[in-house]
Amino acid sequence: MTLEPQWASPPGDTILRMMILADIDECELASRIGISDDKFQKLMEGQLEISASLANALSTTLGSSERFWRKRYAEYIHDNRRLELAEKKTDLAEWSKQFPVSSLKKLGWLPTHVNRKHIGSEILNFFGCKDLHDWNSRYSSGIGAVAFRTSFAFEANELSTLAWLRTAEKDTENINLPSYSASEFQELLPYIKQLCAYKHPSIFLSKLQKACAETGVALVTSRTLEGCRASGASWRNANGNPIILLSFRYLSEDHFWFTFFHEAAHIVLHGGDHIDVDGTDPSPFGYQNSEAEADTFSQDILIEPELRAKILRTSLNRATIRSFARKAGITPGILVGQLQKLGTLRQNQFNDLKRRYRWESDPHVPVVR
């Protein structure tokens, strides 16, 4: 089922992401495209028309075509007008049917026993919004932009993804973090790999969260809702602190640790605002290379390139896998997962070496199976 977006995303959402990727700040971009600071603010908010000359300047400075920028503005204006009409006749009960209500109840994010007539209000409460207009406005950016990053039309299951992201937003609302230090976070990552040795998520997660928090990064784990296929996501909160959300998708150690370092890579290399969803292109606005870069970053932390090259030249069995895992500073199961990802091992080889998890009552922390 394809639905029209329930908000109007201003051109500034796209511009901001591409500024991060291009490592350009607002003052520099305003100067390079030839507009004043006041006009630049209006551009970001969708109040300044993207003319042919401005579209050309954006294309030259940030990338994408002139046609893309003209179309981006036109779609924003169209969505604004459509929403003005839609908000007047949107029924809260119909809106709430788009969400995985039973899954939200099961995981404890909606009251279990709630009158059907009040479901819409409870979902608004979950999102911290007073009405649909507030919800539309709030989630036109922030985690809304993360969840609906690939287009301006979306499928119903992406609302499940948005609800999953909201769980992390709620969990981090009252966390006091120091200012984010990119250099400290990047320097920390090779040492974080040592936590792979811990068997139980309840042990390594608390240590991982503490280490990340000391550099200004919040790490949250949360079980996904029905319809959400996400493994991980990263974005920045209002204070500029990166948030990493992991789902323990596939409930195996190799996938968890690879995804953590993959999301860390997007923060270090690309500034965040990323989500890894099965079956979709996770690269916003044509930056396909960012996924390959994040994969390589994660692989190189887990197994240094020189050692990986040696492993790939070796005939592998249980003994050699365990030996190489010790040299890499990871578990045999993580090494197996990496070699399967590289195609060196088949997907059904040595899977018994992997630590597996299962969900019990806590929707944030699984247990060893």
Side-chain angles (χ1 to χ4, degrees):
M1 178 182 180
T2 299
L3 306 167
E4 287 188 297
Q6 299 300 304
W7 52 69
S9 171
D13 289 346
T14 305
I15 292 170
L16 181 59
R17 291 189 186 191
M18 298 179 84
M19 283 168 56
I20 292 172
L21 292 170
D23 195 23
I24 298 174
D25 62 27
E26 293 184 1
C27 292
E28 181 182 355
L29 180 58
S31 174
R32 289 174 65 173
I33 62 177
I35 61 176
S36 66
D37 291 345
D38 287 344
K39 284 191 174 182
F40 182 81
Q41 190 60 40
K42 290 181 179 179
L43 169 66
M44 297 294 282
E45 295 172 356
Q47 298 175 17
L48 178 67
E49 180 183 0
I50 298 181
S51 62
S53 59
L54 183 53
N56 180 265
L58 287 168
S59 176
T60 301
T61 308
L62 295 178
S64 292
S65 65
E66 179 180 329
R67 180 175 177 274
F68 169 85
W69 290 110
R70 295 276 282 172
K71 183 181 178 183
R72 180 68 176 86
Y73 175 76
E75 286 175 332
Y76 170 65
I77 296 300
H78 169 78
D79 283 345
N80 246 342
R81 290 171 180 165
R82 176 179 52 76
L83 286 174
E84 287 176 1
L85 296 174
E87 283 184 358
K88 295 177 181 178
K89 56 184 180 181
T90 297
D91 180 77
L92 188 60
E94 287 300 314
W95 171 80
S96 67
K97 290 178 182 178
Q98 302 174 54
F99 289 90
V101 172
S102 60
S103 189
L104 283 164
K105 288 181 178 180
K106 179 181 178 181
L107 297 180
W109 292 314
L110 286 183
T112 304
H113 303 291
V114 59
N115 189 298
R116 185 176 299 177
K117 294 187 297 184
H118 300 145
I119 287 291
S121 297
E122 291 294 344
I123 293 175
L124 286 174
N125 288 337
F126 169 74
F127 281 102
C129 299
K130 62 181 183 293
D131 53 35
L132 280 178
H133 179 78
D134 186 23
W135 187 84
N136 288 332
S137 298
R138 182 175 299 188
Y139 290 100
S140 65
S141 58
I143 63 171
V146 176
F148 305 105
R149 74 207 179 286
T150 54
S151 68
F152 301 106
F154 56 88
E155 296 180 356
N157 61 19
E158 287 181 313
L159 288 171
S160 296
T161 302
L162 178 60
W164 174 66
L165 293 169
R166 171 60 180 160
T167 65
E169 189 179 53
K170 287 167 66 70
D171 287 342
T172 58
E173 281 175 343
N174 298 317
I175 293 179
N176 293 318
L177 293 170
S179 297
Y180 169 57
S181 172
S183 59
E184 289 181 10
F185 181 61
Q186 187 165 5
E187 290 170 3
L188 175 70
L189 294 177
Y191 298 97
I192 280 179
K193 187 172 73 169
Q194 298 173 17
L195 298 179
C196 297
Y198 289 94
K199 180 177 181 179
H200 296 278
S202 59
I203 296 176
F204 68 69
L205 275 178
S206 61
K207 295 179 181 294
L208 181 58
Q209 288 168 329
K210 183 176 184 294
C212 289
E214 289 174 352
T215 69
V217 177
L219 172 72
V220 185
T221 56
S222 183
R223 187 175 180 176
T224 55
L225 298 154
E226 180 184 356
C228 174
R229 306 187 307 275
S231 295
S234 54
W235 67 94
R236 294 190 185 232
N237 65 14
N239 295 324
N241 291 97
I243 310 293
I244 295 177
L245 172 60
L246 303 175
S247 70
F248 276 98
R249 186 165 173 80
Y250 303 117
L251 292 170
S252 65
E253 61 173 343
D254 58 308
H255 190 262
F256 173 84
W257 285 106
F258 178 81
T259 303
F260 168 76
F261 289 116
H262 181 96
E263 293 304 326
H266 281 292
I267 290 173
V268 171
L269 302 177
H270 312 128
D273 274 12
H274 166 266
I275 188 166
D276 184 7
V277 179
D278 288 356
T280 64
D281 173 13
S283 304
F285 310 110
Y287 281 82
Q288 295 90 348
N289 290 338
S290 65
E291 284 305 289
E293 291 170 353
D295 280 353
T296 299
F297 185 98
S298 182
Q299 289 165 356
D300 288 351
I301 287 181
L302 290 170
I303 310 170
E304 293 181 358
E306 289 184 8
L307 179 59
R308 184 165 61 243
K310 185 176 181 181
I311 294 172
L312 297 179
R313 294 193 301 267
T314 303
S315 178
L316 297 170
N317 54 43
R318 292 176 189 278
T320 55
I321 287 173
R322 288 192 171 97
S323 175
F324 280 127
R326 284 193 296 272
K327 292 177 181 177
I330 56 178
T331 66
I334 295 173
L335 178 57
V336 167
Q338 284 297 288
L339 294 176
Q340 289 174 340
K341 189 174 181 65
L342 292 169
T344 304
L345 293 178
R346 297 189 304 275
Q347 292 299 314
N348 62 352
Q349 283 187 285
F350 302 113
N351 282 329
D352 60 304
L353 294 177
K354 297 180 183 180
R355 291 170 180 163
R356 303 281 186 174
Y357 311 119
R358 71 174 187 272
W359 290 110
E360 290 195 343
S361 58
D362 188 341
H364 296 287
V365 185
V367 299
V368 174
R369 195 165 72 187

